[in-house]
Amino acid sequence: MKNQSYSHSVRAKPKIGVIVVDIQGDFTTWKKGSLAVEGTDKAFIDKVKKATAALKKKGCVMFATQDWHPADHISFFTNHSGKKAFEVIQIDGRTQVLWPPHCVQNTQNAKVLLDNKLFKAIVKKGKDRRFDSYSGFQDDGGAKTELDSLLKKQGIKEVIVYGIAADYCVKATAMDAVAAGYKVTVIEDLCKGVAPDTTAKALQEMKDKGIKIERELKI
Ligand code: VGL
Ligand code: ZN
């Protein structure tokens, strides 16, 4: 009994994980990205940088995701003859938005625009040409990334999620996190969405699944 209560009292406080989604040049107006999301100017990225540094300083365990596509990736409209950017098609029963080529492996604008040393890991996603991967946890073919096992290894039960794009990769990552049993908070003003209507819908869908939407970071 004595030992048991002692070991309990010294147990470390559960750590909070942070997942910073796809802060990459191609998604920003700042870097004139090929898939630049409105509002992603230098001021926005600076705000994300500040928040990320502050959360790290507070003791959170930091992770980033990085969209990392081969040049022949299925999500690029240029790899489908006769198709235009932002057209939506069906592939093997899945809905696929056709994007401008973006975040091509080893290109300048695929880099994560934050101090990479802040992160325990930067999880690459969308590497398989056959499948898109909005979620940091798994691709559309069901192949898991290392993210869930890395979080579990750290004993993390609660995550904070923010980044780009609110209506695609932030949403998918937060939804997979809550489905995997994590307590999830999304910080709204540290996110930008591709379009206002899909962003509003994404925020509502996340709330409906029990994800907490906080307007701004309070630390
Ligand atoms: C994303 C579209 C295509 C995102 C990635 O990061 O939200 N969106 N690839
Ligand atoms: Zn992508």
Side-chain angles (χ1 to χ4, degrees):
M1 267 318 265
K2 235 181 183 170
N3 275 336
Q4 211 173 340
S5 63
Y6 175 72
S7 72
H8 190 80
S9 68
V10 297
R11 190 170 296 151
K13 191 169 151 217
K15 288 176 285 186
I16 296 175
V18 175
I19 308 171
V20 187
V21 176
D22 295 7
I23 301 292
Q24 295 170 259
D26 265 337
F27 296 124
T28 71
T29 57
W30 179 33
K31 298 293 182 185
K32 302 186 176 9
S34 61
L35 183 33
V37 171
E38 201 179 311
T40 55
D41 53 7
K42 183 172 183 297
F44 172 72
I45 301 301
D46 282 345
K47 186 163 72 174
V48 171
K49 281 183 185 172
K50 257 180 101 170
T52 304
L55 287 163
K56 167 91 177 184
K57 203 168 168 194
K58 247 197 101 191
C60 294
V61 186
M62 310 302 292
F63 297 89
T65 64
Q66 183 176 29
D67 220 30
W68 193 250
H69 299 311
D72 61 351
H73 195 252
I74 195 163
S75 77
F76 299 169
F77 83 91
T78 46
N79 293 325
H80 301 265
S81 81
K83 298 292 176 193
K84 297 192 215 59
F86 306 105
E87 268 190 67
V88 180
I89 63 168
Q90 295 298 124
I91 303 170
D92 299 334
R94 304 186 313 273
T95 300
Q96 177 67 57
V97 180
L98 296 178
W99 303 104
H102 62 276
C103 301
V104 173
Q105 294 171 6
N106 302 303
T107 59
Q108 180 67 20
N109 261 354
K111 286 184 180 163
V112 172
L113 300 171
L114 306 169
D115 178 3
N116 290 11
K117 294 191 295 294
L118 292 172
F119 301 102
K120 178 122 282 180
I122 296 179
V123 175
K124 290 179 163 65
K125 61 184 180 64
K127 294 183 284 188
D128 184 334
R129 65 158 299 280
R130 299 169 300 165
F131 298 107
D132 212 348
S133 184
Y134 298 148
S135 168
F137 288 89
Q138 60 179 336
D139 71 18
D140 291 354
K144 308 276 183 250
T145 67
E146 63 275 31
L147 184 53
D148 185 57
S149 69
L150 290 170
L151 291 167
K152 289 212 164 78
K153 206 157 69 185
Q154 295 288 321
I156 290 165
K157 296 202 157 54
E158 176 176 355
V159 293
I160 295 170
V161 184
Y162 55 85
I164 314 169
D167 37 358
Y168 291 94
C169 292
V170 172
K171 176 195 169 192
T173 300
M175 295 290 246
D176 273 353
V178 86
Y182 298 95
K183 179 179 180 243
V184 183
T185 300
V186 168
I187 314 295
E188 196 178 341
D189 79 344
L190 297 175
C191 299
K192 295 291 176 188
V194 171
D197 56 336
T198 47
T199 300
K201 199 170 153 237
L203 290 170
Q204 189 56 54
E205 281 180 63
M206 290 191 276
K207 274 184 205 165
D208 292 345
K209 290 285 182 208
I211 294 167
K212 188 172 173 191
I213 308 294
E214 281 198 351
R215 180 119 204 99
E216 57 184 21
L217 184 65
K218 298 184 282 240
I219 51 168

